[in-house]
Amino acid sequence: MNPNDVILRSVTKVAIVVILTFSIYLFLGGHHNPGGGFIGGLSVAAGLVLLYLAFDIETVRKNIPVDFKKLAGLGVLIAVLTGVSSLFFDKPFLNQTFGYFNLPIFGKTELATAVLFDIGVALAVIGTAVTIILSISEDG
Amino acid sequence: MSLFHIMIFLPFIFAVFTPFIYKLVSPRIHTGWFVILVPLTVFLYLLQYIPTIANGSTIYQTVPWMPSLNINITTNIDGLALIFGLLITGVGTLVVLYSIYYMSKHREALHNFYVYMLLFMGAMLGLVFSDNILVLYVFWELTSISSFLLIAYWYQRKNSRYGAQKSMLITIFGGLAMLAGLIMLSMITDTYSIREMLSKVDLVTADSLFLPAMILLLIGAFTKSAQFPFSIWLPYAMEAPTPISAYLHSATMVKAGIYLVARFTPIFGGSSEWFWIVSGVGIITLIYGSINAVNQKDLKALLAYSTISQLGLIMCLLGLGSASMYFGHGDESTVYAYAVLAAMFHLINHSTFKGSLFMVVGIIDHETGTRDIRKLGGLMSLMPVSFTLTIIGSFAMAGLPPFNGFLSKEMFFTSVLTAAEHPVFGMKTFGLLIPVIAWIASVFTFIYCLILVFKTFTGKHRPEKLDKVVHEAPIGMLIPPIILALLVIIIFFFPNGVSKNFLQPALIAILPGFAETGGLDVTIKPWHGWNTELFMTIGVAGFGVIMYLYLKRWSFLYNFFPKALSLNHLYNQSIEGTENISLKVTNRYMTGHVRDYLVYIFGFMTLLLGSALWLSKEFSFTISNDADVTVYEGGIIVAMVISALTVLLSKSRLTAIIALGALGYLVSLFFVIFRAPDLALTQLVVETVTAALFLLCFYHLPELRKEISRVKFKATNLVISIGVGVIVTLLALASNNHRLFASISHFFEDSYTLAGAKNIVNAILVDFRGLDTMLEILVLCIAGLGVYTLIKLQLAGREKE
């Protein structure tokens, strides 16, 4: 991709906000609507891919100083730990639960432990996808 | 989850945080100071169970893990498990303390060291306390893996890698055999719980799988406990750092096999096969180890062979003791039960004296720079404390008073003598052999104990052969062996406290028949008159001293044994042979051409699926139940076919990628039509990302070599491609008509009430099939790291060029 592509860069600057916001929506809405950890994670990864396409890798890396390999590992760790934590409540491994709470702004809201597990999934997906993309592109 | 479970899992939990602690404090504070809290906490926690267990009760606690498969983490605290638990954590605490002084905080990768060690500790605790055989198996293999990592800790050394590989190949082979045995057991008794198996012993004895299950299980136990002929891995495991040798290869891991045999004695004991195999292998190992130990030049190798031999001794005692099950109650039963008591007593004693000996050898190595007895000598005046500790440890091992080894050695002699006199399983004819072999092995034991003490500490000190100026070790390094050595003496003077609190409950656990009578009332006395056992000991000492003095005269006999016949040689040969064969086979199909791989993959797939369909004769299909194909569905199919053909036939890569993306989008249209919006959206996102990925790779990839050689027509390719198409179509049609099981979709309809989720896809992903998802992201991560590593390696390789 031409690193001096002005149109792509200008569009990306706006689009990335939309994409990331939408990914967060996808992620959080996953319990009742299409979405969830996998899809949310993938769309974040897609947004990052767009960033890498529009700007060169060094710039993005400087602005998003995240080691994506570690992010992937962290994701798996979170997923495993949420699974283990159910053991502490005398429930089988990976047992999920949910409940309804009255929150100040949102009113009656459903909170599910599955979201914690989903965070792990999302992080693992983002981490892995971006790691693969980055390492392949460095190979050029 | 009970506090007890948390205690067992504490090492694992702590292992997760150890690298962070290391990063935070290193190199100012030794990481070991934090790690030591784990075994210490668990040890102190376990102490409170002693009174309860001494009363003969057993505590069960269950945490559901996979209740649908009947796999739960049930812990079983009884006398046997408690002895092991206390040894693991008690010796563990001392070993960590010792390692703080042994492992340099500046040079060593301590975080790795302690993570492996904590993993091992947790695995061992899980192993001895779990009641579920599958959980037990998982922990069993985890001990093998963590021991592999620990032996290979200095992985830059060739010997470390060799030793680690050897120990892993042998112990994991044994573990797999054991798994097969355990599965057979669970098939017979229809349960995974050891406790429930005990109530179905009659079923096991009557089953035709009794013997295979028993032998497979024993292979597992023998490999782990380094019994003959599997013992060859233990001397090579000595490449590990000395704290590890002291911990894994003397006090705990190698005793896992003993634990297993003891644990399953109530199920298999009482049969002549179990009796002869266990005691026979044990006594062969005893004499094999002791004879070989005499010939060693390396102090750690000497201790390794001595460990092998002592484990054989314990194994032999357990085998003899199992005869007690045959008699049920009565005098004969008590005679044999005494052997079990002796086995448990020697197990504890061995951990104390061998642990301290290993630590002392580590100190010698640390302070002189060598473990070779040909270079050592005359250290007595330079290292007085170590000398004293070695005397205590070795004389305990040799079975001399006033050390605990004397007591258990006497009990061992009593057991073999009485066993030889009692008629069971042909003991009348072969029985006399056992005391004779035991006595000869004890003489050799005595000799190597003398070698250990006198070759190292007496004679002439030759500083020119050593790299370092010798002085006594720092006090911190001496404290752990001193504590163990004190235990050696304390147990000698107060053996009945041990007997009452530990041996009796363990006996009840191993021989449940004694539970009603409250066990065997044995008072262990240091002095029991001028009896045969004492004369045997005197004979051992006398002969031992004479043979030690004339060692040079007869040690040439060792050279007569042909090297080519040794087990090690056989092992190396078979490893080499396997490597050669697999290399040849692999070279045959790993051609480096993707085209060839695809031919193999698809050819195999066609053959497998085709023959399965053919053999099962299940192929049939009707289209009467199918819904009508509407016009736009037909249109989508046509579009899909067109885009698929475009992928195949396009000249440019860009077109192919876009066509592939189009195909994916068309599939997601189908999901929309069949009212699966969740799936459709997933598919869309996946397609987008993969297409973007493809384009990115396409842009960044180096120019492919223009390999426009004309593709020759190949009949095999045609056959395979048509075959794959036909098979997949047939399979789809056939599977649509064969509903062997009720559809599971009704279960998922309740996702809102069960998981509170309106989105079924997500409910399946995180709730119903959470384990799958967890493993999937794990696989994903590993794949990602694989890609990363491969490309990094390639880049590094290119830079080298």
Side-chain angles (χ1 to χ4, degrees):
Chain A
M1 225 53 61
N2 187 351
N4 292 323
D5 197 330
V6 178
I7 298 174
L8 182 65
R9 284 192 176 187
S10 313
V11 172
T12 304
K13 276 179 194 164
V14 182
I16 191 71
V17 179
V18 180
I19 294 174
L20 290 182
T21 316
F22 184 61
S23 334
I24 293 170
Y25 168 74
L26 273 181
F27 171 72
L28 289 176
H31 215 45
H32 295 307
N33 299 309
F38 251 105
I39 301 175
L42 270 181
S43 35
V44 171
L48 289 172
V49 171
L50 183 67
L51 272 184
Y52 284 116
L53 282 175
F55 305 90
D56 63 319
I57 288 176
E58 280 313 308
T59 320
V60 181
R61 188 170 283 170
K62 218 175 281 165
N63 288 299
I64 312 178
V66 179
D67 187 346
F68 286 97
K69 296 187 292 299
K70 284 183 183 162
L71 196 70
L74 182 70
V76 176
L77 190 68
I78 289 176
V80 174
L81 284 183
T82 52
V84 172
S85 64
S86 64
L87 290 178
F88 286 93
F89 299 100
D90 277 337
K91 289 275 159 40
F93 183 61
L94 273 174
N95 204 17
Q96 311 286 7
T97 182
F98 62 96
Y100 296 94
F101 301 93
N102 271 314
L103 295 182
I105 299 169
F106 303 99
K108 187 186 169 195
T109 314
E110 185 193 350
L111 293 180
T113 55
V115 174
L116 294 174
F117 181 74
D118 238 9
I119 289 176
V121 175
L123 291 182
V125 170
I126 298 171
T128 311
V130 179
T131 305
I132 294 177
I133 294 167
L134 282 186
S135 43
I136 290 177
S137 58
E138 270 173 29
D139 186 42
Chain B
M1 180 176 264
S2 64
L3 189 58
F4 189 75
H5 280 86
I6 295 174
M7 282 296 162
I8 288 182
F9 286 110
L10 195 63
F12 294 121
I13 300 168
F14 203 80
V16 176
F17 297 106
T18 304
F20 300 106
I21 294 175
Y22 173 75
K23 214 166 226 179
L24 220 68
V25 302
S26 177
R28 278 171 294 132
I29 313 171
H30 201 286
T31 318
W33 288 117
F34 297 92
V35 175
I36 198 170
L37 296 174
V38 177
L40 194 63
T41 315
V42 183
F43 181 74
L44 294 177
Y45 175 77
L46 285 178
L47 284 180
Q48 60 160 312
Y49 284 100
I50 294 177
T52 328
I53 300 300
N55 287 334
S57 45
T58 312
I59 303 165
Y60 289 97
Q61 281 163 329
T62 304
V63 168
W65 185 24
M66 290 180 248
S68 49
L69 294 175
N70 248 334
I71 299 174
N72 300 310
I73 308 174
T74 305
T75 55
N76 162 26
I77 316 171
D78 62 2
L80 180 62
L82 194 65
I83 289 184
F84 275 88
L86 288 171
L87 281 181
I88 294 160
T89 50
V91 179
T93 312
L94 296 176
V95 164
V96 175
L97 179 63
Y98 177 77
S99 72
I100 292 173
Y101 292 90
Y102 191 86
M103 308 293 285
S104 160
K105 65 183 174 187
H106 297 286
R107 289 192 305 274
E108 305 282 0
L110 286 175
H111 49 311
N112 291 347
F113 180 77
Y114 284 116
V115 167
Y116 301 158
M117 188 146 161
L118 285 168
L119 273 186
F120 171 78
M121 201 180 281
M124 248 349 254
L125 283 174
L127 168 66
V128 297
F129 284 113
S130 67
D131 179 58
N132 186 297
I133 52 172
L134 293 181
V135 177
L136 184 143
Y137 172 74
V138 170
F139 283 122
W140 179 276
E141 292 296 38
L142 197 55
T143 62
S144 294
I145 292 167
S146 48
S147 134
F148 166 80
L149 290 168
L150 283 166
I151 297 172
Y153 172 69
W154 284 313
Y155 56 85
Q156 302 89 342
R157 303 181 186 171
K158 191 167 172 264
N159 283 345
S160 298
R161 298 198 301 269
Y162 174 78
Q165 188 200 31
K166 194 174 209 173
S167 82
M168 187 161 89
L169 282 178
I170 294 178
T171 51
I172 293 222
F173 153 76
L176 287 175
M178 183 183 102
L179 177 65
L182 291 177
I183 290 173
M184 284 180 186
L185 264 185
S186 71
M187 275 161 55
I188 300 170
T189 55
D190 197 30
T191 171
Y192 291 128
S193 159
I194 297 175
R195 178 176 46 150
E196 283 172 29
M197 280 177 187
L198 291 188
S199 59
K200 297 179 181 171
V201 173
D202 299 340
L203 280 179
V204 183
T205 343
D207 204 279
S208 59
L209 284 176
F210 175 76
L211 201 59
M214 183 182 98
I215 289 171
L216 288 170
L217 202 78
L218 282 177
I219 288 177
F222 290 163
T223 48
K224 190 66 113 186
S225 277
Q227 299 294 298
F228 187 85
F230 306 110
S231 52
I232 50 171
W233 67 267
L234 191 61
Y236 291 85
M238 293 301 134
E239 294 298 330
T242 303
I244 296 309
S245 311
Y247 191 37
L248 269 66
H249 308 124
S250 75
T252 57
M253 183 183 94
V254 287
K255 296 211 170 89
I258 307 271
Y259 169 79
L260 196 78
V261 169
R263 182 53 86 210
F264 283 95
T265 297
I267 295 177
F268 293 109
S271 69
S272 61
E273 292 92 346
W274 177 270
F275 176 82
W276 277 111
I277 294 175
V278 175
S279 58
V281 168
I283 199 132
I284 291 171
T285 313
L286 169 64
I287 191 152
Y288 162 84
S290 62
I291 289 179
N292 266 304
V294 174
N295 194 30
Q296 298 305 315
K297 298 289 173 275
D298 182 342
L299 285 178
K300 261 173 105 177
L302 186 148
L303 286 182
Y305 276 105
S306 109
T307 303
I308 292 175
S309 117
Q310 304 274 316
L311 289 171
L313 189 155
I314 301 171
M315 200 60 98
C316 172
L317 281 172
L318 277 179
L320 292 177
S322 74
S324 167
M325 298 277 299
Y326 176 77
F327 292 108
H329 292 286
D331 282 346
E332 268 103 354
S333 160
T334 351
V335 164
Y336 283 104
Y338 187 76
V340 172
L341 214 61
M344 285 299 118
F345 193 34
H346 198 70
L347 181 106
I348 298 174
N349 295 343
H350 179 249
S351 292
T352 54
F353 62 69
K354 192 56 71 62
S356 83
L357 277 179
F358 260 111
M359 290 179 186
V360 174
V361 166
I363 289 174
I364 294 170
D365 188 14
H366 210 258
E367 301 304 327
T368 64
T370 183
R371 296 190 308 251
D372 194 327
I373 44 176
R374 286 165 299 194
K375 292 184 186 168
L376 293 167
L379 297 178
M380 195 186 341
S381 53
L382 297 165
M383 304 173 80
V385 182
S386 305
F387 174 61
T388 321
L389 291 173
T390 315
I391 292 259
I392 296 174
S394 319
F395 285 5
M397 185 156 67
L400 292 179
F403 308 113
N404 59 9
F406 172 73
L407 301 176
S408 44
K409 192 82 149 198
E410 297 293 282
M411 286 172 79
F412 169 59
F413 283 152
T414 314
S415 304
V416 288
L417 284 173
T418 46
E421 286 163 10
H422 283 77
V424 61
F425 309 136
M427 276 297 274
K428 272 280 186 214
T429 35
F430 300 107
L432 202 62
L433 269 178
I434 291 183
V436 173
I437 300 175
W439 187 80
I440 297 173
S442 300
V443 173
F444 278 98
T445 308
F446 201 86
I447 300 171
Y448 69 70
C449 291
L450 292 180
I451 292 178
L452 185 62
V453 177
F454 293 109
K455 293 261 182 192
T456 320
F457 288 100
T458 60
K460 237 178 96 190
H461 179 49
R462 289 160 298 176
E464 73 278 358
K465 287 200 171 182
L466 306 173
D467 308 330
K468 293 182 176 174
V469 181
V470 181
H471 50 77
E472 187 59 89
I475 184 70
M477 217 160 167
L478 287 168
I479 288 175
I482 288 176
I483 293 175
L484 286 174
L486 282 177
L487 275 177
V488 168
I489 299 172
I490 292 171
I491 292 177
F492 176 82
F493 286 106
F494 307 98
N496 293 315
V498 179
S499 170
K500 192 178 153 296
N501 289 314
F502 299 108
L503 304 183
Q504 296 283 2
L507 179 85
I508 294 174
I510 300 171
L511 302 171
F514 283 89
E516 297 143 33
T517 53
L520 206 60
D521 187 36
V522 178
T523 334
I524 303 170
K525 281 177 296 189
W527 177 252
H528 35 67
W530 294 99
N531 53 11
T532 328
E533 292 91 311
L534 193 62
F535 286 119
M536 279 170 86
T537 308
I538 293 170
V540 165
F543 260 91
V545 171
I546 293 168
M547 285 179 76
Y548 171 72
L549 291 176
Y550 293 99
L551 187 63
K552 278 194 185 127
R553 296 271 179 87
W554 58 271
S555 61
F556 69 90
L557 285 172
Y558 280 104
N559 300 332
F560 282 112
F561 188 74
K563 280 245 157 44
L565 274 182
S566 76
L567 291 166
N568 251 320
H569 187 73
L570 276 176
Y571 167 84
N572 289 338
Q573 289 283 312
S574 60
I575 290 289
E576 220 169 89
T578 322
E579 273 178 8
N580 281 338
I581 293 170
S582 40
L583 193 70
K584 271 180 197 150
V585 173
T586 315
N587 279 342
R588 197 59 60 81
Y589 66 84
M590 293 296 281
T591 55
H593 293 285
V594 179
R595 224 175 267 158
D596 290 341
Y597 299 156
L598 290 181
V599 168
Y600 293 130
I601 292 171
F602 285 123
F604 189 69
M605 178 181 139
T606 324
L607 274 180
L608 197 71
L609 291 179
S611 50
L613 265 183
W614 180 265
L615 288 176
S616 60
K617 297 197 178 66
E618 290 292 338
F619 179 72
S620 67
F621 70 96
T622 52
I623 50 168
S624 56
N625 292 334
D626 292 359
D628 296 329
V629 179
T630 53
V631 181
Y632 47 88
E633 282 165 1
I636 293 175
I637 290 172
V638 173
M640 281 171 73
V641 170
I642 292 171
S643 49
L645 286 175
T646 319
V647 175
L648 280 180
L649 300 175
S650 70
K651 288 262 167 5
S652 121
R653 235 182 336 197
L654 195 66
T655 324
I657 292 168
I658 291 171
L660 199 64
L663 190 62
Y665 282 121
L666 287 169
V667 172
S668 64
L669 267 187
F670 263 116
F671 292 143
V672 174
I673 290 170
F674 295 137
R675 271 164 291 168
D678 314 355
L679 270 181
L681 192 82
T682 316
Q683 176 80 11
L684 280 177
V685 179
V686 168
E687 279 307 321
T688 316
V689 175
T690 42
L693 256 172
F694 257 131
L695 287 171
L696 193 77
C697 301
F698 177 58
Y699 173 70
H700 280 288
L701 273 181
E703 291 221 350
L704 284 178
R705 266 175 292 149
K706 293 263 168 16
E707 216 178 286
I708 318 193
S709 55
R710 215 166 60 84
V711 182
K712 276 175 277 176
F713 175 79
K714 276 189 190 156
T716 46
N717 288 4
L718 184 76
V719 170
I720 286 173
S721 52
I722 291 178
V724 170
V726 170
I727 285 295
V728 171
T729 315
L730 287 181
L731 201 69
L733 289 172
S735 59
N736 200 28
N737 279 285
H738 283 276
R739 299 192 186 280
L740 291 177
F741 305 101
S743 165
I744 55 167
S745 50
H746 295 295
F747 176 73
F748 296 124
E749 276 172 13
D750 299 333
S751 75
Y752 189 67
T753 42
L754 288 175
K758 286 177 190 154
N759 176 1
I760 293 181
V761 175
N762 211 43
I764 291 173
L765 277 178
V766 300
D767 263 307
F768 301 136
R769 316 286 318 165
L771 190 71
D772 295 358
T773 313
M774 197 188 85
L775 296 179
E776 261 162 34
I777 57 171
L778 190 67
V779 170
L780 193 74
C781 267
I782 292 169
L785 289 179
V787 171
Y788 175 79
T789 324
L790 281 178
I791 287 176
K792 279 279 136 102
L793 278 178
Q794 202 185 5
L795 285 178
R798 253 183 239 163
E799 269 160 28
K800 250 184 210 165
E801 285 166 15

